[in-house]
Amino acid sequence: MKTTEGKPGRNCPRCPRLVDFRKTWRQKEPTWFNAPVPSFGPVDARVLIVGLAPGVQGANRTGRPFTGDYAGVLLYDTLSRFGFSKGEFKAHPDDGLELTDCRITNAVRCVPPENKPLPIEINTCRDYLKDTIAEMPKLRALVALGRIAHESTVVTLGAKKSANPFKHGGAHKIGELTLFSSYHCSRYNTNTGVLTPEMFREVFKAVRRFLDGA
Ligand code: URA
């Protein structure tokens, strides 16, 4: 059930499997956030980064996307290098870090078992991604992290996946928006060399150039 603001409530009941998982973690770790993780960053940003879903010990614990697990280390370092943040990322939500002209959300707001949301959960949560995009008046670019986020974003924007295939370093113009895509900055991808910090930085360099009109 959606709230009137188009944001999932703390007890969003829409995905039964994710609700059960949330209940388990609320019992195990009652001091953790354990709820749909809200987007982070200003609504008037020109860039929206779309991650996959909260990590259990990361955003699910801290309540801020990509905060508290390995995936955030490369992401926030890269955002800082390209002028998309102010302050120091210290991996907790009260570190004072501010995003500038950039916002971060997830394709799925609740933590899924084994970091793997089911297709029905991705489809169900898409309403919130749609609302997140719709509430950003200055939005010009999106950066999808990984194939699932890419495809969910393409569908959210009303485009066809076949016409907008996922490719690391790729960019698609969809209506007024440009969708950039990267391999996900997960520990697995960086440890196996699928994604190097340089490859990730190239994506954000392209986004920065695009915004600067270069
Ligand atoms: N943390 C998030 O918030 N999203 C991801 O995709 C991975 C880690």
Side-chain angles (χ1 to χ4, degrees):
M1 192 179 311
K2 281 171 52 173
T3 67
T4 47
E5 299 91 39
K7 294 178 174 59
R10 272 192 67 82
N11 297 316
C12 181
R14 298 179 90 189
C15 302
R17 191 183 73 120
L18 302 187
V19 171
D20 283 349
F21 199 54
R22 181 203 293 152
K23 284 185 183 152
T24 306
W25 278 101
R26 281 183 181 176
Q27 276 185 351
K28 269 202 226 176
E29 296 289 351
T31 63
W32 288 11
F33 186 76
N34 293 320
V37 174
S39 306
F40 172 46
V43 132
D44 63 353
R46 288 182 297 168
V47 179
L48 179 65
I49 297 166
V50 184
L52 171 60
V56 71
Q57 313 236 9
N60 174 65
R61 175 172 60 85
T62 63
R64 194 175 74 178
F66 288 91
T67 299
D69 58 14
Y70 189 83
V73 175
L74 179 58
L75 176 61
Y76 284 108
D77 175 75
T78 306
L79 293 179
S80 162
R81 283 169 188 263
F82 290 95
F84 289 115
S85 66
K86 266 198 307 215
E88 199 185 335
F89 172 67
K90 291 192 192 140
H92 52 88
D94 51 3
D95 56 13
L97 185 81
E98 282 176 32
L99 298 185
T100 46
D101 211 10
C102 156
R103 195 173 187 217
I104 307 176
T105 196
N106 280 307
V108 173
R109 299 297 187 94
C110 289
V111 59
E114 291 163 30
N115 292 329
K116 286 194 181 77
L118 300 175
I120 190 169
E121 293 160 353
I122 299 162
N123 292 343
T124 300
C125 210
R126 191 171 297 118
D127 281 343
Y128 298 122
L129 181 56
K130 210 174 238 173
D131 290 339
T132 300
I133 292 171
E135 72 185 357
M136 297 181 69
K138 297 187 181 165
L139 188 64
R140 294 199 53 212
L142 297 109
V143 185
L145 303 182
R147 182 182 297 274
I148 291 176
H150 170 92
E151 292 186 347
S152 193
T153 304
V154 169
V155 175
T156 303
L157 297 176
K160 283 210 165 19
K161 288 190 273 189
S162 55
N164 299 279
F166 171 76
K167 180 174 174 272
H168 174 82
H172 296 282
K173 188 161 180 353
I174 303 177
E176 295 299 303
L177 300 171
T178 298
L179 171 61
F180 293 83
S181 301
S182 168
Y183 292 132
H184 193 282
C185 49
S186 63
R187 184 196 287 271
Y188 180 81
N189 280 350
T190 49
N191 280 355
T192 55
V194 167
L195 180 71
T196 63
E198 292 72 27
M199 286 165 70
F200 199 55
R201 286 174 202 147
E202 282 302 315
V203 172
F204 283 87
K205 191 192 265 182
V207 174
R208 176 51 78 198
R209 268 205 223 108
F210 168 81
L211 292 179
D212 292 347

